[in-house]
Amino acid sequence: MSKKRSNRVSANRGASSRRKSGSHGFSRKRERDEEFFPDQLQRKILGILASSDDPVATSDVENQCRSVGYKKKIIQQKIAELERLKFLLVRKQSMLKGSRFQAASGSVELHRDGYGFFTHDGVEDWYIRPAETQGLLNGDHMIALRVLSSNHGRAPFAVPLVLGQRGARRIVLVIEHRRQGLVSRVLANELKDRVCMPDDVLAELSEEDVVVAELGQFDLSSAVWSAELVERLGKISDAGIEVKIALHKFGISGPRDASLNVEIENIPEAVDEAAVMGRADFRDLPFVTIDGPDAKDFDDAVYIEKVENGYILYVAIADVSHYVNEHSLIDEDARKRSTSVYFPRSVIPMLPEELSAGICSLKPNQDRLVVVAKIELDSDATVIETEFFSSVIHSKQRLTYKDVDILLGESECMSDLSLAPDIYESLTNLKSLTYLLLKRRKNRGALEINARESAFLFDAQSQVSSIETQNRYFANRMIEEAMLCANVAAAEFLNDRQEPFLYRAHPEPDAARVVKLADLLQSLGLELQLPNRPSPTDFLKILNESLDHPAVDSVQTAVLRTMNQARYTATPTGHFGLAYERYAHFTSPIRRYPDLVVHRAIKNQLGCSYDRETDIEGLGDLCSVNERKVEEAVRWTHGWLTATVAGRHVGEEHIGRIVSVASFGCFVFIEELCLEGLLHVSELGREFFSLDDGAVAFVGSDTGQVFQMGDSVQVYISQADIENGRVNLKRVYRRKGMDHVR
């Protein structure tokens, strides 16, 4: 049970409770002889030089500087100083770049704590000091000067010289009431500069309004952006406001443009017989759909039969390509989106709902057009032969994962759900085949990370109420393995026929990440050796060996972070995590555009004519980038909702488990609330705590007390920052019968 606690900190905190200096003390005064940060006029001069590949006439430089208010004498002094420092050379009334002049073109990545990074074609990113980020936006393109840091080993500094193409100009603001009246502030403090809207616009808004604004000019003297109102999203406390914010924040398309309505109106509600002509008729086969209880679009159905020497698996996937013509408005909109977005309380579908939840959804007892993968496997689940068909099916039943587990005896629960004998037999066959496929999965070394999955619960007013751990059933595995079979079959089918399409590629881990993981395992006492280029089997062994370790969750997370991100590509580079040489996405064309591309490629081979993609690699890059944006947006909304739940439990005491360690503290998972928070290093105790060599534990300087991954710790929630998705914890400790908090 949780216990409500006071938010006050114990008053008995004198000098003795502060961090001891001793051997840990250090001087913050550093020599800066190597560092030189040009002033505004010097930047103007260097910027003119950086913008030209040729020498620049000194008179041109002087004229450009005088045009913005500088006097000739001051300009000449600055030029002389830059020449003395070897940033430029003056030869015969011309200015050239000096030996110390190092500049590059790149883009800006701002951090919410005020600093930033300059990314370019070089080996390492350059650090942008908070003082240099004024007036910069995420994604800005610029030319920057490289300034070496006097602290050897640290990244060089980037000094902005010439600002080119601007990044995202739109920003989310929250309206607040302060002493001087209504003002606007940047949501989550993501932009450190102030943003001001006109007074007449503010007068039409009210406190707690959330708005989207277009940034105008930046006033360097006052460090203030001007802005114009674009759209009012609602109140900060509105149910679902986080979704509206996320769409703008991450540049994701929301509601469809009305221009699509003409095509949407022509989408049929039912399959007509003319569309069935020439297709393989599988309507008599007992196909069923198996999904989660809240699923609204059903894009896959399965049927499996047992034969003398093995199994025949039928995977039917909605034939979206029949209804979405290439280069149509719907197709172009789907390509731009690339994927559906599944937020905790809503879905932004890639396709109009008339397709995704209508004619392309494999609803029970209705004819549906599909592409079927017919896969013949032997008694060891080795694929013998694969065929693809343009087909029509008539799903016999809509089942959930839980239903199937109950019906097949994977649960102790009883159910009055009844199945036709042929459906029950098909499910039994799929269960048997799944055990064989899982055995093959293990033998080839495919990774299986059983990461915790959480679900948000909402009340009648659509406000988030709590978080719970999602159950996983064996039926989940049954469908997953069937879909993997179909995806591999599609990749092999098209690869053999040299048909252009998008592979789903997963590169092997980078060497640096592998070394970091090996160090972590050693620090945790797991005597597992990782070769320089580990195979999937090596990672699978780590996962299996750590199952009984107190820090099992941390190990699984570390293995996951060691992996590279999967992407879409035109070349078969393999899928490391699944241990496949060739892999594609075929089974979800309702919600992923690459699957639609694969369907069109397959139907090209089946005699249906589709234009081949002219730039497969470019399309793969687009879909990969959009997939990342969607993942970030969903993760951000999860943080918002998690902090919202945590905010209702501020002051409550809970037992948590340390699941990861960073330089600034421990992340603690509270099982009772199903959420994670940060226990800052300063909250660990009254002594100085340092991170051990393996970065898996903090060790006290006086007592040697250790806080490491897997340890239990008594904490209470001290703060929940909804806009940043942060939950802050404080430690609870007891002494002489009294409760204290840090």
Side-chain angles (χ1 to χ4, degrees):
M1 288 291 292
S2 63
K3 178 183 177 182
K4 203 76 173 180
R5 300 189 60 90
S6 167
N7 212 20
R8 292 179 298 172
V9 178
S10 173
N12 184 22
R13 294 179 64 181
S16 61
S17 69
R18 297 188 181 96
R19 185 179 295 179
K20 294 186 177 182
S21 56
S23 60
H24 301 290
F26 61 90
S27 172
R28 295 186 179 276
K29 185 177 180 181
R30 301 182 188 277
E31 294 296 327
R32 297 292 186 187
D33 293 340
E34 297 179 20
E35 296 175 6
F36 169 75
F37 296 98
D39 59 27
Q40 288 299 321
L41 177 52
Q42 290 169 329
R43 293 186 195 193
K44 177 72 175 175
I45 296 167
L46 294 174
I48 296 170
L49 192 58
S51 300
S52 176
D53 293 330
D54 301 317
V56 181
T58 306
S59 59
D60 287 346
V61 175
E62 291 177 353
N63 289 336
Q64 289 189 49
C65 293
R66 290 176 70 182
S67 69
V68 291
Y70 292 103
K71 295 182 178 180
K72 184 175 181 179
K73 183 178 180 181
I74 300 297
I75 297 168
Q76 291 174 339
Q77 288 176 353
K78 296 296 183 181
I79 291 174
E81 185 178 4
L82 290 172
E83 184 173 23
R84 178 177 61 80
L85 292 170
K86 300 181 180 180
F87 280 98
L88 57 82
L89 298 171
V90 178
R91 296 288 186 272
K92 297 180 180 180
Q93 300 301 311
S94 290
M95 194 179 296
L96 298 83
K97 295 166 185 171
S99 60
R100 201 173 169 188
F101 185 98
Q102 295 185 58
S105 296
S107 60
V108 174
E109 291 183 5
L110 297 179
H111 191 276
R112 61 187 176 189
D113 287 338
Y115 58 87
F117 288 97
F118 178 67
T119 61
H120 54 100
D121 291 336
V123 176
E124 61 179 347
D125 295 342
W126 303 348
Y127 178 76
I128 308 175
R129 301 181 304 165
E132 312 284 358
T133 62
Q134 281 195 339
L136 295 181
L137 301 173
N138 250 326
D140 277 356
H141 289 267
M142 68 178 186
I143 299 175
L145 179 72
R146 181 175 183 261
V147 174
L148 289 175
S149 170
S150 62
N151 188 344
H152 297 289
R154 291 192 62 180
F157 297 99
V159 176
L161 295 181
V162 181
L163 187 60
Q165 181 183 349
R166 277 294 196 180
R169 302 286 301 181
R170 293 192 173 183
I171 195 163
V172 179
L173 304 174
V174 182
I175 307 303
E176 291 184 340
H177 193 280
R178 295 182 185 169
R179 183 176 301 174
Q180 67 270 36
L182 289 178
V183 298
S184 59
R185 68 167 176 83
V186 180
L187 181 89
N189 201 25
E190 289 188 339
L191 187 63
K192 296 301 177 183
D193 307 319
R194 287 194 302 127
V195 178
C196 290
M197 292 194 297
D199 290 340
D200 59 332
V201 174
L202 286 172
E204 297 177 0
L205 299 171
S206 57
E207 192 173 10
E208 292 196 345
D209 276 351
V210 180
V211 302
V212 178
E214 181 88 16
L215 294 175
Q217 296 298 316
F218 180 74
D219 186 333
L220 189 61
S221 61
S222 60
V224 174
W225 286 95
S226 63
E228 295 294 330
L229 178 66
V230 174
E231 181 183 357
R232 180 184 176 276
L233 300 180
K235 296 287 187 184
I236 193 77
S237 57
D238 287 351
I241 191 67
E242 78 283 354
V243 171
K244 295 180 181 180
I245 294 172
L247 294 177
H248 285 278
K249 178 180 170 65
F250 295 95
I252 296 171
S253 299
R256 282 176 174 75
D257 191 273
S259 62
L260 272 64
N261 290 346
V262 174
E263 292 184 0
I264 292 174
E265 289 170 1
N266 292 326
I267 296 172
E269 295 182 0
V271 174
D272 58 50
E273 282 302 317
V276 174
M277 297 295 293
R279 289 177 173 264
D281 194 339
F282 292 149
R283 284 178 285 192
D284 290 336
L285 297 181
F287 279 96
V288 296
T289 61
I290 307 174
D291 296 275
D294 299 323
K296 294 179 177 60
D297 48 43
F298 313 113
D299 50 9
D300 59 82
V302 294
Y303 163 66
I304 183 167
E305 60 180 283
K306 184 81 170 67
V307 293
E308 183 177 355
N309 296 317
Y311 301 86
I312 299 178
L313 170 65
Y314 294 81
V315 177
I317 306 298
D319 189 357
V320 175
S321 63
H322 178 83
Y323 298 100
V324 180
N325 297 324
E326 297 159 290
H327 313 303
S328 64
L329 294 176
I330 291 177
D331 182 52
E332 293 299 328
D333 184 65
R335 179 188 289 252
K336 180 181 69 174
R337 295 172 185 270
S338 302
T339 179
S340 295
V341 191
Y342 292 88
F343 292 113
R345 72 170 100 221
S346 62
V347 177
I348 310 296
M350 181 183 76
L351 298 170
E353 290 189 5
E354 288 80 358
L355 288 169
S356 62
I359 192 65
C360 290
S361 186
L362 308 184
K363 299 177 180 179
N365 305 313
Q366 296 186 38
D367 287 354
R368 287 292 185 261
L369 303 184
V370 293
V371 176
V372 171
K374 180 183 177 184
I375 306 168
E376 185 178 350
L377 307 100
D378 65 16
S379 57
D380 292 324
T382 301
V383 175
I384 300 171
E385 186 179 2
T386 299
E387 293 181 86
F388 283 88
F389 301 90
S390 292
S391 178
V392 58
I393 67 165
H394 192 93
S395 176
K396 300 300 187 289
Q397 198 154 352
R398 179 265 200 272
L399 298 170
T400 67
Y401 299 119
K402 183 178 180 180
D403 290 338
V404 174
D405 267 27
I406 291 172
L407 291 163
L408 297 182
E410 290 296 326
S411 169
E412 296 178 359
C413 302
M414 298 298 292
S415 172
D416 57 1
L417 251 175
S418 59
L419 287 182
D422 53 355
I423 295 177
Y424 181 80
E425 183 180 358
S426 173
L427 294 176
T428 303
N429 292 337
L430 180 56
K431 178 181 177 181
S432 300
L433 176 60
T434 301
Y435 283 121
L436 297 174
L437 291 171
L438 290 174
K439 182 178 179 181
R440 292 188 65 84
R441 179 191 184 107
K442 182 178 179 180
N443 289 341
R444 72 173 186 269
L447 300 185
E448 188 168 353
I449 300 175
N450 296 314
R452 183 192 322 109
E453 295 184 23
S454 299
F456 295 93
L457 302 182
F458 300 90
D459 60 22
Q461 288 73 44
S462 295
Q463 296 284 1
V464 63
S465 57
S466 61
I467 313 171
E468 66 176 14
T469 301
Q470 277 191 318
N471 291 323
R472 256 182 78 79
Y473 301 95
F474 188 75
N476 290 83
R477 307 295 305 274
M478 291 164 58
I479 292 301
E480 286 170 4
E481 290 301 319
M483 297 305 114
L484 289 176
C485 280
N487 285 337
V488 173
E492 296 291 355
F493 178 84
L494 294 173
N495 182 78
D496 290 347
R497 289 156 180 78
Q498 298 184 335
E499 177 79 30
F501 71 103
L502 282 172
Y503 291 89
R504 180 65 167 175
H506 185 218
E508 65 181 48
D510 298 328
R513 292 182 182 178
V514 172
V515 171
K516 188 174 181 180
L517 177 62
D519 291 342
L520 172 68
L521 296 174
Q522 186 176 13
S523 299
L524 289 172
L526 290 167
E527 299 298 328
L528 296 168
Q529 298 299 318
L530 269 177
N532 292 333
R533 290 187 63 183
S535 68
T537 304
D538 294 313
F539 287 100
L540 185 61
K541 185 177 180 182
I542 291 170
L543 294 172
N544 291 335
E545 291 290 328
S546 64
L547 286 176
D548 296 327
H549 195 280
V552 57
D553 290 344
S554 305
V555 173
Q556 293 202 346
T557 300
V559 170
L560 192 60
R561 289 176 177 169
T562 304
M563 298 296 119
N564 279 312
Q565 290 183 319
R567 64 177 188 270
Y568 295 105
T569 176
T571 54
T573 55
H575 196 294
F576 183 86
L578 294 174
Y580 287 131
E581 290 184 17
R582 286 174 286 274
Y583 188 67
H585 275 165
F586 159 74
T587 54
S588 294
I590 283 179
R591 61 184 180 91
R592 293 188 303 228
Y593 196 82
D595 301 56
L596 179 55
V597 173
V598 168
H599 273 240
R600 286 171 175 161
I602 289 173
K603 291 182 72 175
N604 259 335
Q605 291 296 319
L606 298 180
C608 300
S609 180
Y610 289 89
D611 291 340
R612 287 183 168 87
E613 292 284 344
T614 55
D615 184 12
I616 286 287
E617 199 63 53
L619 178 59
D621 291 341
L622 172 68
C623 293
S624 298
V625 168
N626 287 340
E627 181 183 47
R628 295 286 93 78
K629 284 199 305 183
V630 165
E631 288 174 351
E632 290 174 6
V634 172
R635 191 180 303 117
W636 184 85
T637 60
H638 282 202
W640 178 291
L641 294 172
T642 298
T644 301
V645 172
R648 299 196 182 102
H649 299 274
V650 168
E652 287 182 5
E653 181 182 324
H654 295 275
I655 299 295
R657 185 177 71 259
I658 299 175
V659 293
S660 64
V661 173
S663 60
F664 47 83
C666 306
F667 286 95
V668 178
F669 181 72
I670 300 173
E671 191 81 38
E672 190 175 358
L673 300 179
C674 199
L675 59 82
E676 190 176 296
L678 172 65
L679 182 63
H680 194 269
V681 61
S682 62
E683 302 295 340
L684 294 179
R686 297 180 182 276
E687 58 191 307
F688 176 73
F689 282 85
S690 59
L691 198 59
D692 70 355
D693 293 337
V696 298
F698 282 99
V699 181
S701 58
D702 297 339
T703 65
Q705 186 177 12
V706 175
F707 291 90
Q708 65 181 357
M709 290 195 291
D711 282 356
S712 293
V713 60
Q714 197 163 11
V715 295
Y716 81 101
I717 298 173
S718 62
Q719 182 189 30
D721 183 346
I722 294 173
E723 294 181 22
N724 284 297
R726 292 175 176 172
V727 178
N728 293 324
L729 308 174
K730 288 183 182 290
R731 185 180 163 217
V732 178
Y733 65 99
R734 291 178 169 83
R735 187 177 61 183
K736 295 182 180 180
M738 298 179 65
D739 290 358
H740 298 263
V741 295
R742 290 284 301 177

